[in-house]
Structures are given as structure tokens and as C-alpha cells.
Amino acid sequence: MRLAGLAVATWLAALAGLHLTAGASVLLAAVAAGAAGVAALHLLGVLGRPCGPARRYGWIAVAVLLGVVCGAAATAARLSVRDAGPVRALVEERAVVTAELVVRDDPRPVRGGTGRPATVLVAAELTRFTGPDGRRVAAPARVLVLASDPGWRGLLPGQRLTAEGRLTAPRGGDLTAAVLSAAGPPSPQGVAPSPQRAAGSLRAGLQRACSPLPDEQGGLLPGLVVGDTSRLPPAVEQDFLATGMTHLNAVSGSNVAIVVGAVLLLARWARAGPWLAVGLCGLALVGFVILVRPSPSVVRAATMGAIGLVGLAAGRPRAALPALSAGVTVLVLSDPELAGDAGFALSVLATGGLLLLAPRWRDGLRNRGVPAGFAEALAVPAAAQLACAPVVAGISGTVSLVAVPANLLAVPAIAPATVLGVLAAAVSPWWSAGAEFIAWLASWPAWWLVMVARHGARLPAGTLPWPGGVTGALLLAGLTVALLVAARHPVVRRLVAVVVVAVLVGTLPVRLAAPGWPPAGWVVAACAVGQGDTVVLPVAAGRAVVVDAGPDPAAADGCLRRLGVREVALLVVSHFHVDHIGGVAGVFRGRRVGAVLTPRWSEPAAGREQVHSEAAAHSVRVVAGEAGWRYREGGVEFTIIGPPQPLRGTRSDPNNNSLILLATVAGVRILLAGDAETEEQRALLDSTPRGGLRAEVLKVAHHGSAYQDPAFLDAVRPLVALVPVGAGNAYGHPNPAVLERLSRGGARVLRTDTQGDAAAVLLGRAGLAVATRGTGPGRQP
């Protein structure tokens, strides 16, 4: 208990210190040191002699106070380096510098965007820099590099380089001293260390071996094996988060145990002695850590593995909880930034759940007649999920009800996928065909994991809304602890079981029979997909026309799931900016798409290529439309009315060549304006007869930006104005003056950033109404 108290206090003090200044952390350490000294003197009898129980718990309190001292002091030392004068002054000036860097981790792509070149994030250590005045200054500090040049993508950890860029302020909450926006490619200074080059070769080999596989298995397998999620489809990532399986996307203690356990089994099969077996396991452990990179969860798992190997060699039983506590303390003191890492928290909490809860639950189930193997299979995922639930709830804003069964179903596939994936990576530099065959074998257990996550995420009432952030995590943690303490009494256990069954029996049939969304009689819906557009027109039950796919596949897929769209009659792409096509894979996911309609304007080329590639992968026809193109099916008909002619030399040619659709659904006229700005709006006004733009519903152009022609808005005169826009976007969307003009004209304005999914509904003789789903998960209209 003293070690556990020391570890938890060190962790929390370091976490608090990351959000404080160095001076505040020093003050916290000093206060805790004084309190620890007073308590220790009291316990030693200098200030009185406490009784037995008070003495025992008193030393635990001293250990907690010492943990606060250690955590706060270590964090203060790192903060003083982070906030050093030279770097801080240049950050405030947003100065352009030439920096000498050491890469700390693999470059990570940034998803989303608005048509700009793909950006990567590179964590690096700044060694020295040359300021605007030409002076070279040594400044050891952590920086985060934002770069779009392709030269940054192939860098390896440990590699030294120089780069020029502008320094800006970081977001805070970690040890990053500055963000360097790189203006061009890096200039490597030598090569990366040989172990990292070898690891890079193996990781690249695994990616090559997985490239012939389907996107879902091919993207998941490197994540399972080495923590490389660069190719993982966002929709799969979202499913894993919804089902509580997100820990599988990062390398953790289970991966280390699988790899080391496989080596140990081989050593025992070969009748190797204890020390030889430990040596082989140690080599496998070191090699695996280098291969997957020393991420927080991997470092924690490797530390625990090393302690276990020492215990194995010494022939003594492993004291797992003290080892975990000591490992957490040492790791947080060596790098206080780990205290704020969600992956590190999930890894430690999962291990703690396995150590503290799983054995008791397993034994309790066995005492009640449950077979040993089944009791172990139930207790392990349940304990790990319960321990991790507060952090997952804080991250996702939901509580998963399917996490335990999903993780239970996933157990048989994890070990074969991991072992085969490591084997594919190991042989890839010398035998590419063999690596591809092994990766193909590994894709089958990976396929099973994808299916479990997909179907678990689609279950009705599979997730419940919960407050997000620190508040939600602490609330669920408090409820969990209270429930565990109270459940030790048989009466409380029976009461909890009755309440849970009553809630499920009372709510699940309602959710199955009347999910509440979409509302009856809906004619158009704009989904909350972030800073982007996804608009849906219902053709028939389960079938719809989808206009644009938003910036994220998971968001687009979730939008169509909520609306019950199982088949897309036509996918319309208004233009090729990423905030309208980035989620196109989510539209195709698990659905048949009849055809894809695109504009003739082909810029940006990267967006056009993404749409055409996705359509080709599913053998779907792509049609280029222009003014006058008509479509009719079921309850939907529309005509392309803009652009009346190609527009060049405008503020944004892709925006001003957006397809503008005038649709009719159940007699309701709907104008979908894409991202048309003033130039296209004026051209449309000039080419359309008076009254030709009148519509009851307007999808406001370009997220309600300021680039709206007042005469265009007056010509439409909508009753309902839908504004798809992302919360807290950096573009100032939507423009208040535009919203005010629409409201003055009699329109009911619905914004997806504040009201969530929004729909226009036809209520028969009552006319047009609106419904919103709310911004929180699971909110109903």
C-alpha cells in the first residue's frame, strides 16, 4: 500500500504540475515535504507516539506525501527547461529560426483539413537553434514540428537534422516548449542509429506485407503488432473506441506478454535452462521494444516484463502490484509527460485491474460452479474494462455496455494476430513473398476483430452518453469505487443486479422499437460531422441520396447509421475539398453505392484522386455533372443549377465551381449550395429567372461564411436554413451577420455545431417543422 500510494501520488502530482508553472510545482513540493516531515516525526515518536492502526496508515500517508514531493519536483525541473528564456522569447515573437533537432518518434499524419497538403506531426528534441539575429543558442527542449513537405515522412527516431521554420506557442499540458511550423524539407545530419534503422526496415516491411490486404485488416494489423495506426481507417478506429477495444490499437502489456510468452514456450520446448530462457526472453523483449518504439504503454509493459524476468531467473514468485507501483513511479519521474498520456493511463489501469480485481472475480465465479477456463475468460476482460472505463468515458463521452462481451469475443484472435504479425515483420527484409503470406494468415484473426468491433458498435443502446473530459472520468471513477465497495455486501449486490436488469428491460425495447432518429416525415438532414458537410435526402426506407461526405469517414458512417441508411442511391460530391470528401470511405463502408456524381472542376487533384480511388475500389461508376443534369428516384428529384459556367480567377475556384442542387422531396424545395461564394452566387442570380431560386430549405453555402451575396439569400427566402459547421473552428464560421440576415428573413436557423444533427420535417397539413438530435452522444430530438 505504501508503494501504491507513492506511485499514485507521484503520478497525480506530475499531472497537476504539467498544468502549472515551475514555481507553483516547487511550492507544492515544498508544502508536501514539510507535511511529510511533520508526519514522519510524529510516527517516529518525536512528536508523540501514535497507536498501532494510526501508525500503519500514517506511513501510507507519508508515502503519499513523498510521492507528491517527487512528482512535483521532477515536473518542476522539466518545466524550468521547457520555459527557458531564449525559446520562450522567440515563441512570443513568432520568430523564424533554424533549428537543430533529434527526432523522438515516428512522424504521424494529421487527418482532416480543408484541401491543404497533408500535414505530419514530428516529435523532436531541440538541441540548439540559430535565431533571426544569427546567434546560435543551445536550448535543450522538446518541440513539435508541423510539416507538409514529403521529406518529413520517412524520418526515424534518433535521426539528427536541421530545419527552418516559425516558432509558435504549444497548446500546453505537456513538456513541449514550442511548435515549429517547418517551411520546407529537413536537412538530415547523418543517419539514424542502427537499431532504429533496423526497426524502421521491419516496420516498413510489415506495411508492405499488409498492403495487398483489405484496408481494414491491412490497417489494423500493424496497429496490433507495432502500434502503427497510420493506415488504420478512422471508421474502424471509431468502432474500437465505441466497443471498448481501443487498447488493441496500441501496443501494451498484452503484446509484450504474447511475444515473450511465445519465445518462452519455444525455449521450454527446446529444453533450455532457466537462465538461457530468461536471456532469450530478454533479447526478445529488447528487440520488440525497439521495433514498436518506446511509447508510454510499451515502456511500462517492458518495465513490468523485465521485473518478471528477474523474478523468473531468481526462482521467486512475482510481486506484481509492488512491481507495477515501482515501475509507474520510476517511469513518471524519468518522464513526467507520461502522467498526461491517455495510453499510459489505460495500460497501467488495465494492469491494475487484472492484478486487483480479476483473481477475486475468477475465484468467485469458480466457487459458484463456473468452469475454470470460462471464469478466467470472463474475469480478465471485465476487470480490465472496469478499470479503464473512467478514462475511456472521459475521452469518448460515452460508457460502453458492450465492452466486456466484445473484449471476450476478441480474446481468441489477439495472440495469433500478434505472433503472425511479428513473424511477418521479422521475415519481410529477406523474404517478401513469405511475409505477405504470413500477413494474409494474420489477416483472418484481424478480420474477426474488425467484425466484433463493427457489430458491437452498431448494437442499439450499445453506448450511453456520459460527461466527457476530466469531470466525466472522475465521476465514473467515484461511482465505480463506490459500487465496488458497496458490492461486498450481498444485499447490495442483489439490489444492483435488480436495478441493472430493470433498466435494460425497461429501456432496451424502447431503443429497439423507437430509436428516435430520424424523425418521421423527414425530407432532408444535415449531420454533425465536424467542419464539413454531409447532407442526406431520403429516397426510400434505408435508401438515400448523400450530398458530400464531410472530413472524417467515421463521422460520415455514423451519420448514415443514425439515419438508418443501408444503401446510397447516389453520392454527390459538390467539390473536392477535404471537408467535403475526406469521409468518402465512411459512405461506402458496409453499403452499396449506386453511383458517384462529381463536378467537372477537378481541383484539388488530391481530393479528386481520393474520390475516384474509393469508387474504383468498390467498382462504382463516377459521373461528372454540370448545369442541367437531372436525377430522379423514389421520393427525390433534383437538378444541377450551378455553376452556370466554369468560373476562374475567383477567391477560391474550387468553392465557386461547387455543384449547386435544387431538389424536391415530398413537394418541399431544397437548395443545396455547396461551398459557393459570392462569385458563383451572383452568376447563378444572373442566369436564373426571377423566383427560380425560391426554396423552403436552404443548405447555407460554405458553413455560413461571410462570403454570401445578400441578394442570393433574399432570392431563396428559406423557411429553414441548415448550417453544417464544426464547433470551435478557426475560420470564424458561421458569420453572425449572415445568420442574422437569414433570421430576419423568416428562416429558422439550425447549426450542427450547437444543435447536432438537424432535419427538416414535413408534418402533413401542419407544414414544415424542424428536429435536432443534440450535440451529445445519444441525444434525442
Side-chain angles (χ1 to χ4, degrees):
M1 289 300 296
R2 287 193 291 271
L3 273 176
L6 177 70
V8 172
T10 301
W11 190 350
L12 294 179
L15 179 60
L18 292 174
H19 298 275
L20 300 173
T21 62
S25 295
V26 169
L27 179 61
L28 176 63
V31 172
V38 172
L41 290 174
H42 181 65
L43 293 170
L44 292 172
V46 177
L47 302 177
R49 187 170 297 278
C51 61
R55 183 180 179 85
R56 183 169 62 253
Y57 291 113
W59 284 116
I60 294 176
V62 170
V64 170
L65 290 171
L66 290 177
V68 174
V69 173
C70 295
T75 308
R78 295 300 187 91
L79 291 176
S80 63
V81 175
R82 183 195 71 179
D83 300 332
V87 176
R88 173 58 62 90
L90 292 176
V91 167
E92 292 176 353
E93 297 174 7
R94 296 176 57 89
V96 175
V97 302
T98 299
E100 299 179 26
L101 307 170
V102 180
V103 179
R104 296 179 54 232
D105 204 350
D106 290 287
R108 294 182 289 115
V110 179
R111 288 174 178 151
T114 55
R116 298 186 180 93
T119 302
V120 294
L121 298 177
V122 184
E125 194 80 28
L126 176 67
T127 57
R128 59 176 57 87
F129 64 85
T130 303
D133 57 0
R135 288 192 307 122
R136 295 186 68 193
V137 180
R142 293 183 180 180
V143 297
L144 186 65
V145 182
L146 287 175
S148 56
D149 190 278
W152 289 90
R153 298 176 189 173
L155 298 176
L156 295 174
Q159 193 165 354
R160 294 182 175 273
L161 54 92
T162 60
E164 183 177 328
R166 185 179 299 276
L167 292 177
T168 56
R171 64 178 182 179
D174 55 25
L175 297 179
T176 303
V179 175
L180 180 71
S181 298
S187 300
Q189 306 296 315
V191 296
S194 55
Q196 295 289 3
R197 294 202 306 275
S201 175
L202 293 174
R203 291 164 69 94
L206 178 61
Q207 285 284 10
R208 288 194 301 272
C210 294
S211 59
L213 302 176
D215 289 344
E216 294 175 333
Q217 296 95 293
L220 177 62
L221 195 57
L224 290 172
V225 177
V226 297
D228 181 2
T229 58
S230 59
R231 285 185 53 208
L232 182 65
V236 177
E237 189 173 3
Q238 189 71 21
D239 286 347
F240 272 62
L241 181 63
T243 52
M245 297 168 59
T246 189
H247 59 91
L248 299 179
N249 293 340
V251 177
S252 61
S254 61
N255 301 74
V256 174
I258 290 169
V259 173
V260 174
V263 174
L264 184 60
L265 286 175
L266 288 175
R268 288 180 175 175
W269 177 76
R271 301 182 182 277
W275 283 103
L276 178 59
V278 168
L280 292 174
C281 290
L283 289 175
L285 180 63
V286 172
F288 187 67
V289 169
I290 293 175
L291 172 64
V292 302
R293 312 291 194 223
S295 65
S297 60
V298 176
V299 171
R300 197 281 311 161
T303 302
M304 293 295 294
I307 294 172
L309 290 175
V310 171
L312 178 63
R316 298 175 182 176
R318 177 182 173 187
L321 186 59
L324 176 64
S325 301
V328 168
T329 303
V330 170
L331 291 172
V332 171
L333 290 178
S334 62
D335 185 4
E337 195 172 78
L338 292 178
D341 187 274
F344 180 72
L346 289 172
S347 181
V348 174
L349 290 174
T351 303
L354 296 180
L355 298 177
L356 296 175
L357 301 176
R360 295 182 182 180
W361 292 358
R362 176 200 60 202
D363 295 341
L365 290 172
R366 292 180 62 181
N367 292 337
R368 287 167 174 77
V370 178
F374 193 59
E376 184 89 24
L378 283 174
V380 167
Q385 182 59 36
L386 185 68
C388 294
V391 175
V392 174
I395 295 172
S396 64
T398 60
V399 174
S400 176
L401 301 182
V402 300
V404 172
N407 279 275
L408 181 61
L409 291 171
V411 166
I414 298 172
T418 302
V419 173
L420 289 171
V422 171
L423 187 58
V427 304
S428 61
W430 304 281
W431 189 21
S432 59
E436 290 184 5
F437 176 72
I438 298 171
W440 176 78
L441 293 176
S443 70
W444 290 102
W447 171 84
W448 173 251
L449 295 174
V450 171
M451 290 299 102
V452 169
R454 174 181 297 176
H455 292 290
R458 293 186 177 183
L459 285 176
T463 58
L464 297 178
W466 192 262
V470 177
T471 302
L474 292 177
L475 177 60
L476 186 58
L479 291 176
T480 302
V481 172
L483 182 62
L484 289 175
V485 172
R488 300 174 67 179
H489 302 282
V491 175
V492 175
R493 285 200 299 269
R494 296 189 187 100
L495 180 61
V496 170
V498 170
V499 170
V500 170
V501 171
V503 170
L504 291 177
V505 171
T507 60
L508 188 57
V510 176
R511 292 290 299 272
L512 289 171
W517 192 261
W522 67 289
V523 295
V524 60
C527 289
V529 293
Q531 181 65 8
D533 278 17
T534 300
V535 180
V536 185
L537 306 174
V539 171
R543 184 173 170 84
V545 170
V546 179
V547 183
D548 290 326
D552 178 60
D557 181 38
C559 159
L560 299 182
R561 287 188 196 181
R562 296 190 295 271
L563 292 169
V565 176
R566 299 181 299 274
E567 185 174 353
V568 177
L570 179 69
L571 171 61
V572 182
V573 175
S574 66
H575 63 297
F576 293 114
H577 276 160
V578 175
D579 56 337
H580 291 252
I581 58 90
V584 66
V587 176
F588 280 89
R589 187 164 185 249
R591 300 176 186 86
R592 180 183 177 276
V593 178
V596 178
L597 175 65
T598 69
R600 293 195 178 276
W601 192 268
S602 60
E603 297 175 0
R608 180 181 182 276
E609 179 62 27
Q610 182 175 346
V611 171
H612 281 257
S613 296
E614 193 68 34
H618 294 85
S619 302
V620 173
R621 179 172 56 103
V622 178
V623 179
E626 58 186 4
W629 196 92
R630 295 178 179 272
Y631 176 86
R632 182 173 184 174
E633 182 175 354
V636 175
E637 60 178 295
F638 69 78
T639 303
I640 298 177
I641 61 172
Q645 67 274 336
L647 299 175
R648 293 178 173 84
T650 67
R651 199 192 74 86
S652 172
D653 286 350
N655 284 348
N656 281 305
N657 285 277
S658 295
L659 293 182
I660 298 180
L661 312 182
L662 183 59
T664 302
V665 180
V668 177
R669 284 166 62 92
I670 304 164
L671 185 64
L672 307 177
D675 271 5
E677 297 183 353
T678 52
E679 294 91 339
E680 185 176 5
Q681 293 176 13
R682 288 169 186 162
L684 194 58
L685 281 170
D686 294 340
S687 62
T688 305
R690 184 179 180 85
L693 296 179
R694 180 77 176 91
E696 285 87 1
V697 181
L698 169 66
K699 197 291 295 184
V700 181
H702 202 186
H703 323 296
S705 76
Y707 301 105
Q708 312 282 340
D709 190 322
F712 177 80
L713 299 179
D714 293 342
V716 181
R717 283 188 299 141
L719 300 176
V720 177
L722 303 176
V723 187
V725 62
N729 66 85
Y731 308 100
H733 298 162
N735 180 265
V738 171
L739 300 186
E740 184 181 356
R741 187 177 189 92
L742 287 166
S743 298
R744 285 202 314 267
R748 175 71 182 275
V749 179
L750 302 179
R751 299 169 47 171
T752 61
D753 60 337
T754 58
Q755 295 165 290
D757 295 352
V761 181
L762 187 61
L763 299 179
R765 294 181 180 179
L768 203 61
V770 298
T772 60
R773 187 172 178 270
T775 56
R779 294 271 182 89
Q780 300 301 322

